[in-house]
Amino acid sequence: MNKPTSIPGQFDAVVVGAGFSGLYMLYRLRQLGLSVKGFDSAGDVGGTWYWNRYPGARCDIATPDYTYSFDPELEKEWTWSEKYATQPEILDYLRFVADRYGLRPDIEFSTTVTSARWDEQEKRWTITTGRGEEIRCRYYIMATGCLSMPKSPDIEGVGRFGGQVYFTSRWPHEGVDFTGQRVAVIGTGSSGIQVIPLIARQASQLTVFQRTPNFSIPAHNGPAPADRLKQLDEDRDGYRHAARWSRIGVPNEPTDVLGVTASEAVRRERFEAAWRQGELVGIVSVFADQLLNPASNDIVAEMIREKVRSIVKDSETAEALCPKDHYFGTKRPCLDTGYFDTYNLPHVRLVDLRKQPIVSITEDGIETADESFGFDAIVYATGFDAMTGALVAADVTGRDGLSLKEKWAAGPSTYLGLMTAGFPNFFMLTGPGSPSVLSNMAVSIEQHVDWVAGCLKDMREEGFETIEPTELAESGWNQHVQDCAAITLMPTANSWYMGANVPGKPRVFLPYIGGVDGYRQACDDVVGQGYLGFRLTGPDGARCRDGVIRSMQPDVAMVLELIATLGLPPMETLSAADARALMAATAETRPPGPEVGEVTDGVIPVPAGELPYRLYRPAAPPEGPRPLVVYFHGGGWVLGNLDSDDPLCRDLCARSGSVVVSVNYRHAPEARFPAAALDAFAAVQWVDANAIELGGIPGQLAVAGWSAGANIAAVACQLARDAGGPHISGQVLICPVVDSDMTRLSYDENGDGYILTTPLMRWFWDHYADPADRGDPRAAPLRGDLRGLPATCIVAADFDPLRDEGVAYARALEGAGVPVRLARARGHTHTSVTMVGVVISGAPVRAEIGQALSDFFPAPNHKSS
Ligand code: NA7
């Protein structure tokens, strides 16, 4: 493809869609010198802004940001008249762009692409249109938008109504005059909330049928924000750069104020400022934790509900308009102009479908469970088959006859939201798995188009004809998309982000919530690593660097980034005393962990003196004795104490329903090997002997530990077996040290950059044990006799240098006939699983630990997590 293809009916690229993304894609492909053909089923450019012509339709990102930025000259030539432009003005803008770059001649309007089929032999796509044309192309690009396929109304009797029917997503070009009419609007998403106040101005009666109330804040429309315009004027490039590397594609200083810890005054001040500002970027970032922590989210949600109650005079209507069934931001929040005020008008009525659901649309109106309504017109503002609807509608068939619809039957699967395996040279712009609808579309679209254009250019320069993601890269990305969503409240809502608005659609979180900045970095990294996860082929052969671009849990990555900014000295360069002080200081800033029933401190008399312990008793019923878990803290035999692992002990206690006895033991270098191991065994003996006094059930005893604490827990089990008691029902070893061999692959892979480093582990060993002792099973339990040990749960974290020895211990125990549960802490480091209340993604691993502890014991009244 050195020069544009000029065979009739044959193009280098076909682009479907002539909205924001399709137009820019055409422009970039042309710049590359490719022959391009565009299609759109609409009669003109505009995409979503061509179709959504209902009164009140506006963008909800302020116009200085909702605009192309690829050409500074274009920016100079266009001035927006308002903060949030109306649909006609945005459509004018897109027409202006199409004309300015002469894009129209390449686009065939009023033409629907009905199918696209990959020809493996020819390495080309065959595109068929509704007009019966057949076109061949090398690259097939769908720029079909995320909210372009209207949802078919899933209401009984839809075709029956004899009056006028309108869809906000397919509004008549000539407009509609509702003067004097009785009008129904079904749906209170962004479209409904925008159109309702304007229909109310004309209609003689307006009845709004609401299934779910939505959070909405006033847009405070007016001139474009002066501060933004000033910044753009002074430093356009800097402003655009900041947008590209921001979280949602609008420059914004991230806050570190947490809703749960902020004072009432700070909460109020931040919320009111966002309310006054009237921008999504402000209201979604009142608090840093509002999309993560239900308690923080409730603060913002309640303040919005207060506003609704203060606007709407009828208290019953006000209450019905207050969203209570989803967290703020988990459904797309709306910006409105006089929406709630509209319900104070005497001719406007809200029907709460939660109280009286629609039974059927009738010939002359709507029948609910309680009432029959007569209407002249019904307006459906019922939304879209979002993000995937338009993509699967076009019958795209990849290699081996597999259609996109079939491949995505259980939910979409993409690499970076850009491509999908089995569909070579098929690109999606703002596809599922990319930030798209969670971001300023203008910024995300430009990023996607630039990436695709860069990719095609690189392919040409390197002599490749096809590109396609690998299964591994794609499943890794899908996992990452879900991991990012899982730490937020997003999956809890019945939203179109989750596919929940379309009956039968699989429930998967569709967009990428890791941020515009994080996403851009991932895309750049893929290219930087030689198109990691893509297979490229050409006449001279193939190239594939397979791999997963993001496999660390997103919150673990955030914690590591945060720690890196602190510039702490490497622990192994400190004295033991300084290292202990540093660890204690960091512990002070953590969340405290969950509430438990009772916490008491005491001491255990052992041959070497006394060992302090802290006992945690569960809060939940039943009353009475519980199984006992003796827990040993981490810290490389040098660091740590009862406080260091306090949140984790609370968590284990709450999850397992056991009494947890956390025992401090003698530390190195003051007391070297085998002091810690012997203390551990002595403590287990004492707890067993004093089970009743400690509130335990005699004979129901487990041990647990993290890191070096897991080392001595494992040793204690071996010593107990050798001594013929006490009886231990099970051991939980979280990221244990079980060997002194530091040459395993996980040391190679993870020995640098994940807090527990190879030098630090060496420092720990040097403090604890002489080289001659390090093969002793009481230092390296992997080298001991493993027969007859209790049931074991081992946690092995992906990014832990100790991962492979943990796995080796699990395998060796299995080989010795011990029941083993290996919990893989996917995407975690040595420390992250223990970061209770900080690393949310660690919770499922700790839930598994809690379950393992419960499973050690037969007690029927035992609570599991
Ligand atoms: P949305 O946000 O999906 O809103 C659709 C609304 O229609 C929503 O209130 C739905 O209630 C309601 N709906 C959907 N189906 C029904 C039925 N069968 N009965 C009653 N009510 C129903 O679409 P929009 O067009 O408003 O906005 C889409 C996006 O475009 C918007 O977020 C912006 O990004 C731009 P539900 O919440 O499902 O109970």
Side-chain angles (χ1 to χ4, degrees):
M1 67 169 221
N2 288 328
K3 54 185 178 28
T5 307
S6 56
I7 306 164
Q10 195 143 311
F11 294 87
D12 291 321
V14 161
V15 178
V16 186
F20 254 100
S21 59
L23 290 178
Y24 182 45
M25 192 74 246
L26 284 177
Y27 169 78
R28 288 298 309 260
L29 292 170
R30 275 226 211 130
Q31 267 192 332
L32 286 176
L34 301 185
S35 62
V36 199
K37 177 89 177 166
F39 292 100
D40 200 305
S41 50
D44 196 2
V45 299
T48 200
W49 299 109
Y50 177 89
W51 297 107
N52 287 268
R53 292 167 184 253
Y54 59 86
R58 290 175 189 271
C59 54
D60 59 8
I61 295 285
T63 44
D65 302 295
Y66 194 68
T67 192
Y68 288 119
S69 69
F70 65 88
D71 182 353
E73 292 308 310
L74 171 65
E75 285 195 58
K76 276 188 213 152
E77 288 172 27
W78 184 268
T79 308
W80 294 101
S81 67
E82 289 180 279
K83 176 181 173 187
Y84 297 111
T86 57
Q87 172 270 332
E89 187 174 5
I90 303 172
L91 190 56
D92 277 351
Y93 172 67
L94 292 172
R95 287 185 179 135
F96 168 75
V97 171
D99 292 339
R100 190 182 188 283
Y101 299 101
L103 300 173
R104 284 173 202 273
D106 285 341
I107 310 169
E108 203 173 307
F109 293 107
S110 307
T111 307
T112 305
V113 168
T114 49
S115 77
R117 183 169 288 273
W118 174 249
D119 183 335
E120 182 71 9
Q121 219 58 43
E122 295 288 321
K123 307 257 181 281
R124 279 190 167 71
W125 286 92
T126 303
I127 311 296
T128 311
T129 72
R131 295 172 187 266
E133 293 165 281
E134 233 180 49
I135 288 124
R136 317 262 291 161
C137 63
R138 181 75 82 193
Y139 306 109
Y140 177 49
I141 302 168
M142 287 187 84
T144 42
C146 297
L147 295 155
S148 48
M149 177 60 63
K151 191 184 91 149
S152 9
D154 45 348
I155 303 174
E156 173 66 28
V158 156
R160 227 176 275 161
F161 183 60
Q164 296 298 313
V165 173
Y166 303 102
F167 290 85
T168 48
S169 53
R170 292 289 180 270
W171 202 257
H173 284 208
E174 61 283 8
V176 183
D177 184 1
F178 290 109
T179 306
Q181 294 191 11
R182 297 163 306 155
V183 183
V185 174
I186 303 178
T188 50
S190 290
S191 304
I193 281 176
Q194 286 184 334
V195 80
I196 284 164
L198 287 151
I199 295 181
R201 284 189 199 166
Q202 293 184 336
S204 63
Q205 262 181 45
L206 171 62
T207 311
V208 176
F209 292 84
Q210 170 192 276
R211 188 162 68 184
T212 312
N214 239 317
F215 288 102
S216 184
I217 68 161
H220 298 307
N221 203 15
D227 56 333
R228 299 275 173 84
L229 295 179
K230 183 162 174 283
Q231 285 175 50
L232 272 166
D233 221 32
E234 288 169 2
D235 179 13
R236 193 202 78 93
D237 289 350
Y239 185 89
R240 296 297 180 212
H241 179 85
R244 290 180 193 126
W245 289 98
S246 67
R247 200 135 180 95
I248 71 161
V250 176
N252 189 42
E253 199 54 49
T255 179
D256 56 5
V257 174
L258 301 179
V260 278
T261 50
S263 69
E264 182 51 36
V266 168
R267 290 173 179 169
R268 180 60 61 184
E269 186 194 314
R270 291 190 60 79
F271 171 77
E272 293 293 345
W275 185 266
R276 278 194 306 275
Q277 184 197 25
E279 289 194 39
L280 291 178
V281 67
I283 199 72
V284 299
S285 51
V286 175
F287 305 124
D289 56 344
Q290 71 187 55
L291 210 50
L292 306 173
N293 187 332
S296 175
N297 192 285
D298 279 346
I299 296 166
V300 181
E302 188 50 31
M303 287 185 180
I304 297 178
R305 288 190 286 261
E306 272 173 26
K307 293 281 188 190
V308 175
R309 292 180 190 118
S310 73
I311 300 169
V312 180
K313 298 203 172 89
D314 177 68
S315 60
E316 199 182 325
T317 306
E319 225 35 57
L321 286 165
C322 284
K324 289 172 202 135
D325 78 335
H326 62 279
Y327 292 109
F328 172 67
T330 56
K331 290 182 114 171
R332 175 88 171 194
C334 305
L335 295 181
D336 72 86
T337 302
Y339 173 65
F340 293 112
D341 290 287
T342 303
Y343 293 96
N344 292 330
L345 298 171
H347 65 294
V348 177
R349 177 176 168 196
L350 181 75
V351 174
D352 182 353
L353 297 180
R354 303 279 172 193
K355 290 198 175 138
Q356 47 168 323
I358 295 178
V359 175
S360 175
I361 307 289
T362 61
E363 254 179 41
D364 52 11
I366 295 176
E367 195 180 310
T368 68
D370 297 349
E371 286 174 73
S372 283
F373 297 83
F375 295 115
D376 302 308
I378 298 180
V379 175
Y380 290 94
T382 43
F384 299 88
D385 183 351
M387 302 209 66
T388 54
L391 290 168
V392 297
D395 189 15
V396 185
T397 307
R399 195 185 293 110
D400 304 326
L402 180 72
S403 76
L404 196 61
K405 200 172 183 172
E406 286 160 353
K407 178 172 174 182
W408 287 7
S413 172
T414 71
Y415 188 30
L416 303 167
L418 278 162
M419 299 195 83
T420 186
F423 297 77
N425 291 359
F426 165 56
F427 297 91
M428 292 161 276
L429 301 182
T430 66
S434 75
S436 59
V437 291
L438 296 177
S439 68
N440 174 4
M441 272 293 194
V443 168
S444 285
I445 283 169
E446 285 193 333
Q447 187 271 343
H448 257 199
V449 170
D450 290 343
W451 193 94
V452 173
C455 167
L456 298 188
K457 182 165 174 286
D458 290 345
M459 285 171 69
R460 174 165 64 188
E461 283 167 7
E462 294 175 45
F464 291 116
E465 287 174 340
T466 71
I467 181 166
E468 182 188 347
T470 67
E471 299 282 350
L472 175 72
E474 184 169 312
S475 64
W477 183 255
N478 291 334
Q479 185 66 63
H480 178 59
V481 170
Q482 297 310 315
D483 285 347
C484 289
I487 60 171
T488 73
L489 299 169
M490 283 295 197
T492 61
N494 285 323
S495 64
W496 54 257
Y497 297 138
M498 290 292 296
N501 65 328
V502 176
K505 193 167 171 174
R507 281 194 72 127
V508 190
F509 192 70
L510 297 167
Y512 177 64
I513 200 171
V516 163
D517 47 354
Y519 176 77
R520 181 180 292 269
Q521 190 63 58
C523 291
D524 289 356
D525 289 351
V526 164
V527 176
Q529 294 177 43
Y531 285 90
L532 179 76
F534 282 108
R535 183 177 167 78
L536 297 129
T537 69
D540 300 331
R543 189 186 82 197
C544 179
R545 253 204 85 194
D546 206 357
V548 171
I549 190 66
R550 293 284 181 266
S551 48
M552 181 170 282
Q553 291 288 349
D555 47 358
V556 175
M558 281 189 263
V559 167
L560 288 178
E561 275 166 34
L562 186 75
I563 290 174
T565 63
L566 301 177
L568 300 173
M571 215 165 239
E572 66 276 13
T573 62
L574 304 178
S575 66
D578 287 347
R580 286 169 190 157
L582 180 62
M583 191 165 170
T586 15
E588 270 175 28
T589 61
R590 296 170 309 182
E595 287 287 326
V596 293
E598 191 189 343
V599 180
T600 46
D601 285 358
V603 289
I604 299 174
V606 291
E610 286 185 332
L611 305 179
Y613 76 83
R614 181 167 298 163
L615 182 144
Y616 304 83
R617 193 183 307 282
E623 296 292 317
R626 302 295 187 102
L628 284 159
V629 176
V630 188
Y631 175 84
F632 301 104
H633 64 76
W637 308 281
V638 179
L639 317 171
N641 50 36
L642 296 182
D643 293 332
S644 62
D645 292 28
D646 184 78
L648 178 63
C649 288
R650 289 168 176 275
D651 194 78
L652 293 180
C653 170
R655 286 180 190 279
S656 68
S658 302
V659 169
V660 173
V661 184
S662 171
V663 177
N664 204 359
Y665 46 90
R666 283 173 295 163
H667 290 148
E670 295 83 352
R672 287 167 63 83
F673 170 84
L678 297 181
D679 283 358
F681 181 46
V684 171
Q685 287 175 306
W686 184 84
V687 170
D688 179 64
N690 294 276
I692 292 172
E693 294 79 352
L694 295 170
I697 302 170
Q700 291 196 11
L701 177 76
V703 296
W706 166 52
S707 191
N711 170 272
I712 59 174
V715 173
C717 285
Q718 295 192 9
L719 296 178
R721 176 209 50 201
D722 296 344
H727 169 74
I728 297 174
S729 302
Q731 55 178 337
V732 166
L733 310 177
I734 306 168
C735 305
V737 188
V738 282
D739 199 11
S740 46
D741 175 2
M742 294 169 66
T743 62
R744 288 192 170 81
L745 182 64
S746 52
Y747 266 98
D748 264 2
E749 290 179 355
N750 307 321
D752 183 24
Y754 306 119
I755 301 181
L756 178 64
T757 61
T758 304
L760 180 58
M761 201 57 221
R762 195 170 292 125
W763 186 82
F764 284 143
W765 272 115
D766 289 345
H767 277 73
Y768 183 49
D770 293 338
D773 290 329
R774 294 183 196 174
D776 186 315
R778 292 173 304 164
L782 178 61
R783 303 189 189 194
D785 176 5
L786 307 186
R787 288 168 300 178
L789 287 174
T792 304
C793 170
I794 292 183
V795 177
D798 282 354
F799 292 92
D800 184 358
L802 306 182
R803 177 194 68 204
D804 291 351
E805 65 195 70
V807 174
Y809 200 50
R811 300 284 171 255
L813 285 164
E814 269 167 1
V818 174
V820 175
R821 176 176 192 151
L822 179 61
R824 303 299 297 239
R826 190 175 50 73
H828 279 275
T829 62
H830 183 73
T831 48
S832 59
V833 172
T834 69
M835 293 182 171
V836 177
V838 177
V839 173
I840 296 169
S841 62
V845 183
R846 293 194 307 277
E848 194 169 350
I849 296 171
Q851 188 62 52
L853 283 170
S854 304
D855 291 347
F856 289 151
F857 306 112
N861 60 351
H862 197 74
K863 177 188 167 289
S864 66
S865 59

